[in-house]
Amino acid sequence: MGRKMPSLGGPGNISYEVSTGTTIIAVEFDGGVIIGSDSRVSAGESVVNRVFNKLAPVHDKIFCALSGSAADAQAMADMVHYYMEVHSVEMGAPPLVLAAANLVKGISYKYKEEMLAHLIVAGWDRKNGGQVYGTLGGMIIRQPFAIGGSGSTYIYGYVDSAFKPGMSKEQCEKFAVDALSLAMGRDGSSGGVIYMVTVTKDGTKENVISGDSIPRFYDL
């Protein structure tokens, strides 16, 4: 995530980009989705937050994984959350994941010159079950899994090789954790802990993986 902070004044002060650095991932399985992220936020070469949760709920069973400018991504997720709450009341039923993805797509395209943010939308609904949508640049595409952020460039080969259609929930959880661990080990802008959310028809389960529980690349 990147955006320049205003200078505090004086010739010696420097403006830095406030960035989540970021590695985000979402994976579909039969009956739900796994969504995960690292937790590091950086400004220039400094880490300004070690444990920032980049998984933003926009409704009970719909989440956005945030990358880009921290402020822009949070603002976008807040807008989607508001509209999803209103939409749910108007419809008298929980919203569809596709509705949230379409909102993100519209906001991303409308403010593409002003906002620096990329959100992955994932969740479960009564119509289509677990779904993952990429929304980069105002597009929308459903995928069996999606990755994003600066750390994703280090793991494309791994995820393309390791992902197999029809994986179980437990296999998808391991796939997501291993991918995030690899990215965090190689990308200096990704790090901290791993936040994970599992979404099914029964609800959501959140998990935090930290310290020695995070796999090392040589153990994978």
Side-chain angles (χ1 to χ4, degrees):
M1 292 183 157
R3 191 170 186 81
K4 288 196 174 180
M5 291 280 288
S7 172
L8 298 179
N13 289 323
I14 302 172
S15 295
Y16 290 109
E17 289 188 347
V18 174
S19 167
T20 63
T22 310
T23 305
I24 54 176
I25 187 170
V27 195
E28 289 184 12
F29 63 88
D30 184 20
V33 295
I34 307 290
I35 184 168
S37 78
D38 75 307
S39 67
R40 179 172 293 175
V41 179
S42 56
E45 296 180 356
S46 302
V47 175
V48 297
N49 192 331
R50 297 182 296 110
V51 287
F52 177 70
N53 190 347
K54 303 172 190 177
L55 307 180
V58 295
H59 206 266
D60 293 344
K61 297 177 183 177
I62 307 174
F63 282 75
C64 288
L66 314 180
S67 67
S69 159
D72 290 351
Q74 284 181 291
M76 191 179 295
D78 287 345
M79 283 189 277
V80 175
H81 180 269
Y82 169 76
Y83 285 119
M84 285 292 96
E85 290 291 336
V86 173
H87 179 64
S88 178
V89 171
E90 291 175 341
M91 298 297 292
L96 301 180
V97 181
L98 181 59
N102 271 308
L103 264 176
V104 172
K105 177 195 73 170
I107 296 170
S108 297
Y109 186 77
K110 182 177 181 180
Y111 297 105
K112 62 181 181 294
E113 301 296 333
E114 292 86 9
M115 302 182 79
L116 304 173
H118 169 220
L119 275 59
I120 295 173
V121 182
W124 182 94
D125 64 47
R126 65 196 180 281
K127 183 177 180 181
N128 294 310
Q131 301 145 75
V132 172
Y133 293 95
T135 62
L136 183 62
M139 72 168 188
I140 182 170
I141 181 171
R142 183 175 176 179
Q143 301 171 287
F145 73 90
I147 58 176
S150 59
S152 66
T153 59
Y154 294 87
I155 58 172
Y156 274 104
Y158 170 76
V159 295
D160 286 345
S161 173
F163 178 80
K164 301 291 186 296
M167 290 195 302
S168 67
K169 180 180 74 171
E170 292 73 21
Q171 289 173 319
C172 287
E173 288 174 347
K174 184 177 187 304
F175 170 74
V177 170
D178 288 351
L180 289 168
S181 301
L182 285 167
M184 291 162 63
R186 288 163 171 75
D187 177 30
S189 295
S190 298
V193 303
I194 293 175
Y195 286 104
M196 299 280 293
V197 177
T198 303
V199 186
T200 66
K201 67 177 182 179
D202 298 321
T204 62
K205 178 185 176 182
E206 301 185 28
N207 188 27
V208 179
I209 302 170
S210 62
D212 292 338
S213 298
I214 298 175
R216 300 294 184 259
F217 71 92
Y218 42 78
D219 293 328
L220 301 179

